[in-house]
Amino acid sequence: MNAIGVALVGSGRMGSFHGESLARRIPGARLVAVADPAPGVAERLGADRAYSDPAEAFADPGVDAVVIAAPARFHADLVVAAARAGKGVFCEKPMALSLPDADRAIDAARAAGVVLQVGFNRRFAPDWQAARALLDDGRLGIPRLLRSVTRDPGGFDPSRVPPDTIFNETLIHDFDTLRFLNPGAEAVEVYATADALVEPEWRERGLLDTAVVVVRFTNGATGVAEACFEAAYGYDVRGEVFGSGGMATLGDGRRTGMIFSGAAGRTVEMARSDQELLAGAYVAELAAFVAAVRDRTPAPVGGEDARAALAIALAAAGSVRAGRPVRIEEVAK
């Protein structure tokens, strides 16, 4: 079968990784174009064409689908434009920064009849998939308590971090994870606390870099999501599901399974970035997207999932400002 022609929109840190995956790691996909004002990206990735304007890529007849990795504030408009051009859309999280914009994106994809997938990569990581399989076959029983953790390795520039980023762009992964590991249930109430503990001098300018969020679900389960922008030991992503039939723990942050025992004791090497720890998941999610476009099947994680996670993120940010629990219905009006 002919390969799916894909255009990459945005070639920053994550976009470049996706571009390399499309060009070299995913059978059935062909990176045909890159839309980014930075020069030389298309040539470096082996794409046929370079555009400075995403609209040019959307109008390219050789493009069947697009991967959007531009800054988050542009996501919703890019999804709408790509869908209206008849292209399948993979969008990095968050798909939108407001629920009306999320609805616009979902409606545009539905009206055009195109695939819309969102980059919640943990759903494609082996530990997370194995835990979901235990839930699906009943061995874990009914979820009671859930936990999801994201600790970034630090080194960020606080002047480039918009307000609520910890909820909209970091913890949104954890909010989706809590939903993924509590299938069939939806969030009803959120209580969050957050502070600037990594960069305290930026607190008054709206930066929050450390947060804990408690989410109550329709089935009575409670989930806890936590995040911090700096972990001295590396990149740390973990999860846990405690159910009526047992418990599953997910992830340990190790680069490999090797443990070195020496005179100083036992040591393990920790992953230092998301692309190192979750490289396979990033490739798997794009492979699933390409398959959905090729086979004209629904995306495994779609716009509605992105909207639900965003609603939790908005409620969490609102909870911090109000100093009280916030019900999802308050932000979903």
Side-chain angles (χ1 to χ4, degrees):
M1 297 178 66
N2 292 333
I4 299 296
V6 185
L8 174 68
V9 179
S11 63
R13 189 185 69 86
M14 198 64 247
S16 290
F17 187 90
H18 285 326
E20 291 169 0
S21 294
L22 291 164
R24 304 182 180 107
R25 304 180 184 120
I26 300 174
R30 182 166 174 258
L31 182 65
V32 298
V34 174
D36 193 290
V41 178
E43 182 179 4
R44 174 173 59 82
L45 293 174
D48 297 337
R49 297 177 286 284
Y51 299 116
S52 58
D53 185 344
E56 296 176 286
F58 301 158
D60 187 331
V63 171
D64 305 302
V66 301
V67 169
I68 296 170
R73 64 186 181 276
F74 302 122
H75 284 183
D77 287 341
L78 288 169
V79 171
V80 170
R84 287 176 176 170
K87 313 300 183 182
V89 184
F90 177 97
C91 183
E92 262 302 335
K93 55 75 191 172
M95 183 184 70
L97 293 174
S98 72
L99 294 180
D101 277 349
D103 289 334
R104 282 199 304 120
I106 292 167
D107 291 344
R110 184 179 295 123
V114 299
V115 171
L116 172 58
Q117 184 171 326
V118 180
F120 288 132
N121 58 78
R122 292 180 206 177
R123 292 185 179 226
F124 299 86
D127 287 8
W128 279 255
Q129 290 193 329
R132 177 58 186 261
L134 289 173
L135 288 160
D136 290 341
D137 69 19
R139 280 182 287 171
L140 258 177
I142 299 171
R144 293 171 176 170
L145 297 172
L146 306 103
R147 186 176 182 227
S148 186
V149 174
T150 300
R151 296 174 186 166
D152 290 333
F156 65 98
D157 179 354
S159 69
R160 297 172 62 87
V161 181
D164 296 338
T165 290
I166 197 165
F167 302 115
N168 296 336
E169 299 191 45
T170 301
L171 277 162
I172 200 159
H173 272 302
D174 301 275
F175 300 148
D176 181 69
T177 292
L178 296 179
R179 294 184 65 250
F180 180 62
L181 296 176
N182 193 14
E186 293 295 344
V188 294
E189 188 177 78
V190 178
Y191 179 64
T193 60
D195 206 340
L197 302 181
V198 180
E199 296 283 352
E201 65 274 16
W202 284 81
R203 182 183 294 111
E204 299 306 316
R205 284 178 267 189
L207 174 67
L208 299 172
D209 55 40
T210 307
V212 177
V213 183
V214 179
V215 183
R216 189 164 60 85
F217 287 88
T218 50
N219 63 349
T222 298
V224 177
E226 67 166 78
C228 183
F229 285 173
E230 181 181 77
Y233 54 88
Y235 182 67
D236 187 4
V237 170
R238 287 175 283 122
E240 181 180 284
V241 185
F242 171 66
S244 59
M247 180 180 70
T249 58
L250 302 65
D252 62 9
R254 290 189 293 175
R255 178 178 292 165
T256 71
M258 187 273 290
I259 299 174
F260 172 64
S261 299
R266 288 186 171 180
T267 60
V268 300
E269 292 187 347
M270 303 298 291
R272 294 290 170 176
S273 74
D274 53 348
Q275 293 174 8
E276 180 181 19
L277 184 65
L278 296 168
Y282 281 125
V283 174
E285 66 179 354
L286 285 182
F289 168 65
V290 169
V293 173
R294 181 193 64 224
D295 301 336
R296 300 185 179 182
T297 55
V301 49
E304 291 80 4
D305 295 306
R307 188 189 195 279
L310 177 62
I312 300 174
L314 295 173
S319 175
V320 170
R321 286 190 282 270
R324 62 170 177 84
V326 171
R327 293 185 62 81
I328 292 295
E329 62 193 25
E330 295 181 57
V331 300
K333 293 177 182 177

